[in-house]
């Protein structure tokens, strides 16, 4: 059993803290947001993440996990302190490090014994060295510490499974002893451990996210070529994916990537390259290709309807940036609804969990609590988020409720041939049988 302090109870901090507690460690998770801590102490989660509430409850009950707003309390007896605070996109695409700085200063001020400060947040290359300088200068008296980079690779919606069964753990530090101690913490996960220097570890995180984003933009560009030539991008992805050098993951064509990670991380990596006088052409195109997909939705719906969108009602199936989360950060649904409204349409929407988070972000959209109620009287539907429950919809019922049976399937969740047979004017992305294609 090790004693761990985790700073930040967002997705990364809360999942990391709860999972380390579940592995038998004693974890004190800290946040400066007193309301969040008060809620967590009552068992109310700040985010929707499958399995998290149960995991937190179990470990709190076992006395392995607790929450506080006090650095002094969180650091009492702690050998490790994870920094897991937000690094939002700042000006020019650079990562905004103000929360990391506050966390580092506060740890320095309150530590009373040697400490390994582990950075989990996604931070620009060189941040680990900067954190070390901050800790050193903010300590009231010198106490031994080491800074380690241990980037997270958790996906929202499957964060606990990703933590417990990682592809790898990356540990970066110039202090070998500290790196080994952090490696020990991860041994129960039985995954490969990459031990490297701080800057390389920080880069591995950006490189991984940018590569995955590029893979998605690649398949989205390819989808257009498939469609132009009558090939099916889903089968193309499956056929490519059997090649172990390529892999099937992250080859789902659709409305592109969003969320709190890919958008800011690709921009931040491009920004870092530019700062050194480099021209990150691929990264720039990865971003452009991605956002084109959202921008294109009104035009495609207009084509399917055979006229403009003025006075039409369009229903959006899904709001969250992806399934199994209520996260609305850079969700395609926001840009799509704005564009549809700008083109003269009324927009209605349904999402199984993101309704409350989404409502203030799209006041002009009528968000309803039942998918069939949403379909009633719509001129067209757009599949925005691939929630499982949309795959199992009673499509006959949906058809009978729609004013015109038009579906733009932005996540390729339906079978084009079946949709045609059922009498839908249906368009998928990069697939043949697009009977609505202009
Ligand atoms: C991503 C990475 O997958 C994690 O490894 C990483 O830890 C995390 O960012 C982070 O940096 O914190 P996440 O943003 O939760 O995780 O979601 P993903 O499952 O990666 O999906 C990202 C976006 O790509 C979503 O909008 C999703 O709909 C889209 N996507 C994903 C596609 O359009 N096609 C695909 O084939 C896969």
């Amino acid at each position: 059993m090790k004693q761990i302090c985790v700073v930040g109870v967002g997705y990364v901090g809360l999942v990391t803290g709860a999972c380390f507690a579940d592995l038998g460690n004693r974890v004190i998770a800290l946040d400066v947001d007193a309301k969040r801590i008060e809620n967590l102490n009552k068992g109310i989660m700040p985010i929707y993440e499958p399995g998290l509430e149960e995991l937190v409850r179990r470990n709190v009950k076992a006395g392995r996990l607790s929450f506080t707003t006090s650095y002094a309390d969180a650091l009492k007896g702690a050998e490790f302190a994870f920094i897991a605070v937000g690094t939002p996109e700042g000006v020019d695409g650079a990562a905004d490090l103000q929360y990391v700085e506050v966390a580092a200063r506060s740890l320095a001020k309150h530590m009373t014994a040697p400490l390994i400060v582990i950075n989990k947040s996604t931070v620009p290359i060189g941040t680990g060295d900067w954190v070390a300088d901050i800790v050193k200068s903010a300590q009231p008296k010198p106490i031994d510490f080491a800074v380690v980079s241990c980037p997270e690779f958790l996906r929202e919606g499957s964060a606990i499974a990703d933590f417990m069964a990682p592809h790898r753990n990356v540990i970066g530090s110039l202090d070998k002893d500290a790196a080994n101690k952090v490696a020990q913490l991860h041994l129960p996960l039985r995954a490969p451990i990459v031990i490297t220097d701080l800057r390389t570890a920080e880069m591995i995180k950006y490189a991984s996210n940018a590569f995955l984003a590029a893979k998605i933009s690649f398949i989205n560009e390819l989808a257009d070529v498939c469609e132009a030539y009558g090939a099916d991008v889903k089968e193309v992805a499956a056929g490519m994916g059997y090649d172990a050098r390529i892999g099937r993951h992250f080859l789902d064509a659709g409305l592109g990537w969003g969320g709190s990670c890919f958008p800011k991380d690709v921009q931040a990596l491009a920004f870092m390259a530019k700062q050194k006088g480099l021209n990150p052409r691929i990264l720039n195109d990865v971003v452009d290709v991605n956002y084109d997909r959202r921008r294109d939705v009104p035009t495609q719906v207009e084509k399917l309807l055979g006229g403009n969108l003025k006075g039409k009602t369009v229903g959006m199936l899904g709001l969250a940036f992806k399934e199994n989360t209520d996260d609305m950060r850079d969700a395609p649904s926001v840009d799509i609804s704005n564009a549809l409204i700008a083109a003269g349409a009324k927009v209605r929407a349904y999402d199984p969990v993101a309704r409350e988070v989404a409502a203030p972000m799209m006041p002009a959209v009528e968000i309803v609590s039942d998918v069939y109620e949403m379909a009633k009287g719509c001129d067209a539907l757009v599949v925005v988020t691939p929630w499982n429950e949309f795959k199992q919809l009673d499509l006959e019922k949906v058809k009978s409720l729609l004013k015109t049976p038009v579906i733009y399937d932005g996540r390729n969740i339906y079978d084009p041939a079946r949709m045609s047979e059922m009498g839908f004017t249906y368009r998928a992305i990069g697939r043949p049988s697009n009977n609505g294609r202009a």
Side-chain angles (χ1 to χ4, degrees):
M1 189 202 81
K2 296 287 180 193
Q3 177 122 352
I4 298 169
C5 151
V6 176
V7 182
V9 294
Y11 273 103
V12 176
L14 193 53
V15 171
T16 302
C19 288
F20 272 124
D22 211 49
L23 292 174
N25 299 292
R26 170 86 183 94
V27 177
I28 305 185
L30 172 145
D31 205 292
V32 289
D33 183 338
K35 185 78 199 158
R36 275 192 164 198
I37 294 299
E38 190 188 322
N39 280 339
L40 278 163
N41 280 325
K42 289 185 203 150
I44 302 168
M45 298 300 111
I47 46 158
Y48 172 82
E49 179 65 27
L52 186 61
E53 193 172 333
E54 207 272 319
L55 187 74
V56 168
R57 198 181 314 124
R58 187 167 72 233
N59 284 285
V60 167
K61 202 170 160 204
R64 290 189 296 262
L65 177 63
S66 58
F67 302 100
T68 184
T69 53
S70 153
Y71 272 91
D73 289 349
L75 281 170
K76 224 173 269 163
E79 190 183 344
F80 303 94
F82 282 92
I83 298 181
V85 295
T87 53
E89 192 175 320
V91 274
D92 300 337
D96 176 350
L97 293 176
Q98 58 169 314
Y99 305 112
V100 175
E101 184 174 352
V102 171
R105 275 188 201 290
S106 307
L107 288 172
K109 269 190 201 141
H110 293 93
M111 64 190 276
T112 53
L115 188 68
I116 299 177
V117 178
I118 308 162
N119 195 21
K120 271 258 158 236
S121 306
T122 303
V123 290
I125 324 303
T127 302
D129 297 327
W130 175 73
V131 165
D133 289 343
I134 291 173
V135 174
K136 201 167 174 186
S137 64
Q139 281 181 328
K141 60 174 192 269
I143 303 174
D144 273 357
F145 73 95
V147 174
V148 174
S149 164
C150 180
E152 57 87 15
F153 299 101
L154 313 174
R155 284 165 303 172
E156 290 180 19
S158 54
I160 295 166
D162 286 348
F163 185 97
M164 292 299 190
H167 295 285
R168 79 309 208 178
N169 284 297
V170 174
I171 295 166
S173 182
L174 294 175
D175 182 326
K176 284 213 165 57
D177 185 48
N180 282 332
K181 284 183 175 155
V182 178
Q184 294 286 330
L185 266 188
H186 291 83
L187 280 186
L189 300 172
R190 298 174 153 273
I193 294 178
V194 178
I195 298 190
T196 181
D197 63 87
L198 260 175
R199 286 172 183 240
T200 305
E202 289 165 348
M203 187 62 178
I204 289 171
K205 168 66 191 209
Y206 279 108
S208 302
N209 271 5
F211 186 81
L212 292 171
K215 224 178 153 184
I216 300 167
S217 288
F218 173 84
I219 202 71
N220 279 334
E221 184 164 294
L222 210 75
D224 290 339
V225 185
C226 286
E227 217 170 300
Y229 283 91
D232 186 331
V233 75
K234 262 194 140 167
E235 288 175 28
V236 169
M240 289 165 68
Y242 285 112
D243 186 331
R245 294 170 302 171
I246 299 173
R248 171 64 185 84
H249 298 292
F250 285 70
L251 284 180
D252 289 326
L255 294 174
W257 39 266
S260 65
C261 307
F262 288 178
K264 80 171 167 55
D265 292 350
V266 179
Q267 295 283 7
L269 185 54
F271 178 81
M272 284 186 276
K274 279 182 217 150
Q275 266 191 325
K276 295 287 181 192
L278 302 168
N279 179 15
R281 282 171 299 173
I282 293 181
L283 295 177
N284 291 338
D285 284 347
V286 164
V287 174
D288 274 355
V289 169
N290 187 61
Y291 288 95
D292 273 356
R293 193 58 88 187
R294 306 176 181 191
R295 290 190 275 262
D296 198 33
V297 172
T299 312
Q300 297 306 334
V301 177
E302 273 178 355
K303 280 183 190 167
L304 288 173
L305 287 169
N308 71 36
L309 284 168
K310 284 205 179 70
K312 301 282 195 233
T313 303
V314 180
M316 292 197 301
L317 286 164
L319 292 167
F321 86 95
K322 67 172 193 178
E323 68 280 26
N324 298 329
T325 178
D326 63 352
D327 199 333
M328 285 295 298
R329 285 175 286 179
D330 205 355
S333 62
V334 178
D335 290 340
I336 292 170
S337 62
N338 285 340
L340 289 168
I341 290 165
K346 272 197 225 135
V347 180
R348 216 181 271 166
Y350 166 79
D351 188 283
V353 304
R355 288 190 290 274
E356 278 170 32
V357 186
M361 300 171 75
M362 39 179 74
V365 175
E366 185 194 349
I367 302 177
V368 298
S369 56
D370 179 84
V371 69
Y372 297 105
E373 185 194 330
M374 186 206 58
K376 208 181 285 172
C378 279
D379 295 278
L381 292 182
V382 179
V383 181
V384 180
T385 314
W387 283 96
N388 267 341
E389 69 172 71
F390 299 154
K391 297 174 189 164
Q392 304 299 335
L393 283 185
D394 179 346
L395 288 170
E396 288 293 357
K397 184 169 171 185
V398 170
K399 192 173 158 224
S400 71
L401 291 167
L402 290 172
K403 200 191 269 177
T404 45
V406 172
I407 296 188
Y408 180 61
D409 183 354
R411 294 294 176 181
N412 285 348
I413 63 172
Y414 299 124
D415 174 25
R418 179 157 177 258
M419 297 303 275
S420 257
E421 267 162 41
M422 289 181 72
F424 278 100
T425 300
Y426 173 81
R427 164 112 196 261
I429 292 186
R431 310 193 72 191
S433 313
N434 289 327
N435 53 12
R437 188 168 163 73

